[in-house]
């Protein structure tokens, strides 16, 4: 059934009939299903706002989610949404024409956050933080207006890794973008179903499908961004030790609170020795007992 081209969502119509592409597609679909199941993203009858920037990652996200829904494996309604932020030269007709042609329910929203970012951020400083906050606020508003319970983003495995190292190097904390969280107002979920998917796979998938990619010239035009520096470091590690990225990502899923230094995560003060303490600690999960 999976490879039956007579039973396929239009977003995957015309897919390359090569063994390599079929393996790629199956791998991405499997990894998205795994992330959805691992982090409990499915609420039956829910409606998701699937955010579409026009980049390779969001096209991959959109296609895979619709493939899963088409197969009856994702029992939620999907509404694609593009937020046109008013960037000069942004090809405003590309996404609505593409989504209409694919038969994908969608909403296109115009909000000129570009002018706000350019006005507020001094020349030479990065735009990402303010741009992201303004974009996220608008997406939350749209989700509420459309009756959606979740905002679904296209961040992939490499985004999550890079964010972890940015927090480590520049933020002084061990944190990254979780696959699932609740927004500050407590009324919306934020999901990242591509959490297990490699960026290279998203790039190859979108390229092979010939989706109309729209580059982000706002942040992409800035040199020396911290994220780009971290990406170069990770690229170097991966080149010297293939598979290093996946090992590091798995480490984020295998935390040992007793082997870190945060007293808010582990009761170091109450740690005791002796037979009684050992007996009490047998009731604790292995990660709290410090077992590796």
């Amino acid at each position: 059934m999976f490879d039956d081209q007579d039973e396929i969502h239009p977003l995957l119509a015309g897919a390359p009939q090569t063994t390599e592409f079929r393996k790629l597609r199956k791998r991405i679909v499997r990894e998205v299903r795994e992330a959805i199941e691992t982090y409990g993203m499915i609420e039956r009858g829910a409606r998701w706002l699937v955010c579409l920037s026009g980049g390779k990652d969001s096209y991959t996200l959109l296609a895979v989610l619709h493939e899963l829904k088409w197969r009856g494996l994702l029992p939620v309604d999907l509404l694609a949404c593009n937020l046109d932020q008013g960037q000069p030269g942004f090809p405003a007709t590309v996404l609505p024409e593409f989504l209409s042609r694919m038969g994908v329910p969608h909403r296109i929203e115009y909000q000129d956050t570009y002018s706000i970012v350019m006005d507020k951020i001094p020349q030479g400083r990065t735009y990402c933080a303010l741009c992201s906050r303004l974009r996220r606020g608008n997406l939350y508003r749209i989700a509420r207006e459309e009756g959606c319970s979740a905002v679904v983003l296209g961040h992939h495995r490499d985004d999550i890794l890079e964010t972890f190292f940015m927090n480590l190097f520049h933020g002084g904390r061990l944190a990254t973008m979780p696959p699932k969280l609740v927004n500050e107002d407590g009324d919306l979920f934020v999901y990242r179903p591509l959490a297990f998917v490699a960026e290279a796979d998203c790039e190859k998938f979108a390229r092979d499908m010939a989706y109309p990619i729209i580059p982000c010239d706002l942040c992409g035009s800035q040199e020396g961004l911290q994220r780009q520096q971290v990406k170069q470091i990770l690229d170097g590690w991966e080149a010297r030790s293939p598979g290093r990225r996946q090992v590091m990502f798995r480490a984020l899923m295998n935390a040992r609170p007793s082997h870190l230094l945060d007293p808010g995560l582990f009761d170091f003060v109450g740690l005791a020795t002796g037979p009684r303490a050992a007996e009490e600690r047998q009731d604790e999960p292995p990660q709290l007992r410090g077992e590796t």
Side-chain angles (χ1 to χ4, degrees):
M1 179 178 179
F2 192 89
D3 289 318
D4 185 351
Q5 296 300 307
D6 293 330
E7 292 288 340
I8 193 113
H9 191 276
L11 281 165
L12 282 162
Q17 297 300 300
T18 64
T19 300
E20 181 183 11
F21 182 81
R22 289 179 179 177
K23 288 182 178 179
L24 171 68
R25 174 183 158 204
K26 287 184 177 181
R27 179 167 67 250
I28 294 175
V29 169
R30 182 182 68 249
E31 290 169 343
V32 169
R33 286 189 67 188
E34 183 182 356
I36 289 173
E37 293 172 2
T38 298
Y39 296 100
M41 298 181 189
I42 293 181
E43 302 171 273
R44 290 190 173 273
R47 196 178 197 209
W48 289 4
L49 189 75
V50 183
C51 302
L52 187 66
S53 67
K56 64 184 187 306
D57 310 324
S58 61
Y59 276 121
T60 301
L61 173 68
L62 183 72
V64 173
L65 292 182
H66 276 276
E67 170 75 355
L68 290 173
K69 182 175 175 59
W70 185 265
R71 302 296 183 191
L73 299 173
L74 186 63
V76 302
D77 289 331
L78 301 174
L79 177 68
C81 177
N82 171 250
L83 179 64
D84 181 346
Q85 297 179 263
Q87 285 181 235
F90 181 79
T93 61
V94 169
L95 285 172
E97 290 177 357
F98 172 80
L99 294 169
S100 296
R101 190 167 67 252
M102 295 295 109
V104 173
H106 62 277
R107 172 170 170 174
I108 306 296
E109 178 86 3
Y110 178 83
Q111 291 291 330
D112 185 9
T113 64
Y114 174 86
S115 297
I116 298 174
V117 171
M118 298 303 292
D119 179 63
K120 298 294 184 182
I121 302 299
Q123 187 173 4
R125 300 289 297 275
T126 58
Y127 308 133
C128 296
L130 179 58
C131 181
S132 177
R133 285 199 300 272
L134 293 172
R135 181 171 62 250
R136 192 68 59 87
N138 278 290
L139 291 174
Y140 288 164
R141 171 183 57 80
I142 294 167
R144 295 181 184 110
E145 291 174 359
E146 295 290 346
C148 297
S149 61
V151 172
V152 185
L153 306 175
H155 296 125
H156 46 65
R157 181 201 68 181
D158 297 79
D159 287 325
I160 292 172
L161 264 182
E162 289 161 14
T163 301
F164 172 79
F165 281 103
M166 286 177 66
N167 281 319
L168 179 67
F169 295 155
H170 304 288
R173 60 184 178 272
L174 296 180
T176 189
M177 299 184 294
K180 176 182 180 180
L181 60 84
V182 176
N183 69 332
E184 291 182 358
D185 291 335
D187 64 334
L188 291 168
F189 287 111
V190 177
Y191 295 149
R192 296 182 173 94
L194 295 180
F196 295 164
V197 180
E199 180 178 18
D201 282 352
C202 292
E203 184 172 7
K204 181 167 177 50
F205 181 87
R207 183 178 67 247
D208 288 351
M209 289 301 305
Y211 292 139
I213 304 298
I214 302 173
C216 178
D217 294 326
L218 178 61
C219 55
S221 64
Q222 294 182 283
E223 299 295 333
L225 294 177
Q226 292 176 349
R227 183 171 293 275
Q228 292 301 319
Q229 295 170 358
V230 168
K231 183 185 290 289
Q232 291 171 6
I233 292 172
L234 296 179
D235 285 345
W237 287 346
E238 184 71 20
R240 290 189 294 272
S241 301
R244 178 68 60 86
R245 268 192 170 94
Q246 185 62 14
V247 171
M248 291 188 293
F249 182 81
R250 288 297 175 186
L252 295 179
M253 302 176 64
N254 191 22
R256 294 289 188 267
S258 64
H259 284 45
L260 297 173
L261 281 74
D262 189 343
L265 292 179
F266 186 79
D267 184 14
F268 293 99
V269 175
L271 202 59
T273 62
R276 184 186 180 103
E279 185 177 315
E280 291 175 351
R281 282 168 58 80
Q282 291 305 310
D283 296 329
E284 298 178 351
Q287 61 267 30
L288 293 183
R289 295 201 300 268
E291 296 180 3
T292 58

